């Protein structure tokens, strides 16, 4: 089973700043890595797949990078609405696993 | 508007059964792989099970294998999760989610249904 470790656990930034979220896999997942955003009381929202391809309707402020075992989700020019928990997910094979999440706070 | 809507959650005693349903509105479910993903209170996301478009392939997390069964009725546009021998640790919000084509990423989620296993 692939274990995904996200860091930091919590990130606190101000509007307009850049957020860099990390996801590390216990073994190579190629680029089979997705990202989701979840706000309290809501279902997850699909952001990114294939490590760097934005989902439909996701603004260009969100970008993804990486391959193998190290991945990054970058949110440039933060907005208050970006406050949420972000999860990475691999899909190389079953079992599908998610990271434990990074909570992004906007000051 | 395309929606997935789960139902069937509730309070159940340990060892008991429960069946969840997921209906699709504005989408023909038979065109898609589907999954169940759960989230324990205050915790992260956990994949539970997936099923192919025609139901011919099913995959389960080890934590539910042998106790949960994923199924679908494409004629009724419904997805199911039959949960037996429920444990306290199965307490979670259960989401149904649609896969993006043949790629096991989830581009559409329901609002979730809460399952509480407690005596």
């Amino acid at each position: 089973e692939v274990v995904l470790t996200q860091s930091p656990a919590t990130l606190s930034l101000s509007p307009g700043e850049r957020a860099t979220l990390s996801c590390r896999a216990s073994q190579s997942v190629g680029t089979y890595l997705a990202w989701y955003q979840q706000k309290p009381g809501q279902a997850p929202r699909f952001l990114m797949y294939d490590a760097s391809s934005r989902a439909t309707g996701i603004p260009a402020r969100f970008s993804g990078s990486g391959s193998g075992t190290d991945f990054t989700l970058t949110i440039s020019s933060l907005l208050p609405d970006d406050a949420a928990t972000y999860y990475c997910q691999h899909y190389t094979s079953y079992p599908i696993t998610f990271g434990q999440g990074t909570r992004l706070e906007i000051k | 508007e395309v929606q997935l809507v789960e139902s069937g959650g509730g309070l159940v005693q340990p060892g008991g059964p429960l069946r969840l349903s997921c209906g699709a509105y504005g989408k023909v479910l038979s065109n898609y792989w589907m999954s169940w993903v759960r989230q324990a209170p205050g915790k992260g996301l956990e994949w539970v099970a997936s099923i192919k478009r025609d139901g011919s392939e099913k995959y389960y997390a080890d934590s539910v294998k042998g106790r949960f069964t994923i199924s679908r009725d494409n004629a009724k546009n419904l997805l199911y999760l039959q949960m037996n021998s429920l444990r306290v640790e199965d307490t979670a919000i259960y989401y149904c989610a649609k896969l993006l084509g043949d790629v096991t990423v989830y581009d559409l989620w329901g609002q979730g249904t809460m399952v509480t296993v407690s005596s």
Side-chain angles (χ1 to χ4, degrees), chain A residues 36 38 43 46 87 89 91 94, chain B residues 39 47 59 103-106 110:
Chain A
Y36 301 85
Q38 188 180 33
F46 180 45
Y87 294 95
Q89 175 226 323
Y91 49 101
Y94 290 104
Chain B
Q39 187 169 35
W47 168 76
Y59 301 90
V103 182
T104 311
V105 296
Y106 305 108

Side-chain angles (χ1 to χ4, degrees), chain A:
Chain A
E1 173 177 315
V2 177
V3 176
L4 298 176
T5 303
Q6 293 186 241
S7 61
T10 304
L11 189 57
S12 184
L13 295 169
S14 299
E17 290 191 303
R18 173 191 298 258
T20 302
L21 288 66
S22 173
C23 176
R24 178 163 290 178
S26 60
Q27 62 194 76
S28 177
V29 299
T31 56
Y32 296 124
L33 198 286
W35 291 93
Y36 301 85
Q37 175 194 67
Q38 188 180 33
K39 297 180 180 179
Q42 295 185 16
R45 176 193 183 196
F46 180 45
L47 294 179
M48 199 83 59
Y49 65 104
D50 289 350
S52 60
S53 297
R54 276 187 302 277
T56 302
I58 301 304
R61 300 186 299 107
F62 291 84
S63 63
S65 64
S67 66
T69 60
D70 289 299
F71 299 87
T72 300
L73 176 69
T74 302
I75 312 171
S76 64
S77 196
L78 284 167
L79 300 175
D81 189 55
D82 295 331
T85 298
Y86 292 82
Y87 294 95
C88 59
Q89 175 226 323
H90 89 87
Y91 49 101
T92 50
S93 62
Y94 290 104
I96 304 303
T97 57
F98 293 84
Q100 83 281 12
T102 289
R103 191 172 85 169
L104 175 60
E105 299 175 345
I106 309 298
K107 298 175 186 174

